[in-house]
Amino acid sequence: MAKIIDGRAISAAIKDELKEQVAVYKQQGVEITLAVVKVGNDPASAVYVRNKEKACEYIGITSRTLALPEETTEEELLQVVNDLNQDNTVNGILVQLPLPKHIDESRILLAIDSKKDVDGFHPVNVGKMVIGEDTFLPCTPAGIIEMLKRSGVDIAGRECVIIGRSNIVGKPMAMLMLKENATVTITHSRTKDLKEVTKRADILIAAIGKAKYITDDYVKEGAVIIDVGMDRDENGKLCGDVDFASVEPKAGAITPVPGGVGPMTVTMLLVNCLKSVEQNK
């Protein structure tokens, strides 16, 4: 039986640590504020924003949500971002993705002050991450590293295979695993003999957005399986990219969906909010 890597428990432990740090800041008269900008009525975005608000409330960070209508123009959104950049009471800025189709996401992300970019998506912060400088890390990959370490998984020298090459998970995940001295392979839709590559992995990270795509014949006996997917199965039930029932008996350790990687993403956002205070003292 595989060890279940409990993202909820690890996330709760980190939040309790952050709560203590925030209390110390408050004693020093320092208030921490996260501004979240949401455009339109995407239901998944609404859930994420609510989760962020709840997490902020728990650890003592002020959460300021700016809910803008779907028809907000790109120029209007840029003005909102600029106002938050100039606002000295705001420590972190997050523009919830996806944005409506008439808005250029890359232009908006570029407009966020890199010193307040708690999502870790600004090109300045991505560049710093790639060359190994201390910076805001993208929340999902950083959360995965934290999960592995706190679950006692040794990363150094292990072979890590990542399925997916997105800017949000796949690419930064590879950089962070390299930093931890893993040997890293990124696979994607054009990879030939995918199963042969994934079966080499001591640590397999699936981030492709295809429900239950990874079955036991993709997996080496005893491998650590990290499932980043948030999909729906044929019955509309939440599931991951990994077919848990098939893979779990073969794995050494595995993250469930829900309750695995998901909770860590919001928690690492809060870690970045506190990092912003340190960096901008």
Side-chain angles (χ1 to χ4, degrees), residues 1-13:
M1 290 286 284
K3 173 184 176 179
I4 305 299
I5 299 176
D6 187 343
R8 287 195 181 107
I10 296 168
S11 162

Side-chain angles (χ1 to χ4, degrees), residues 7 22 29-30 50-51 68 85-86 89 100 114 122 132 134 140 142 153 158 171 176-177 179 248 260 278:
V22 170
V30 177
R50 271 201 305 279
N51 288 344
L68 306 178
N85 285 340
Q86 304 303 321
T89 67
S114 64
H122 193 286
D134 185 39
T140 300
V153 175
R158 309 290 290 281
K171 290 176 190 172
L176 296 187
M177 291 301 277
K179 191 179 180 188
E248 187 265 342
E278 282 298 314

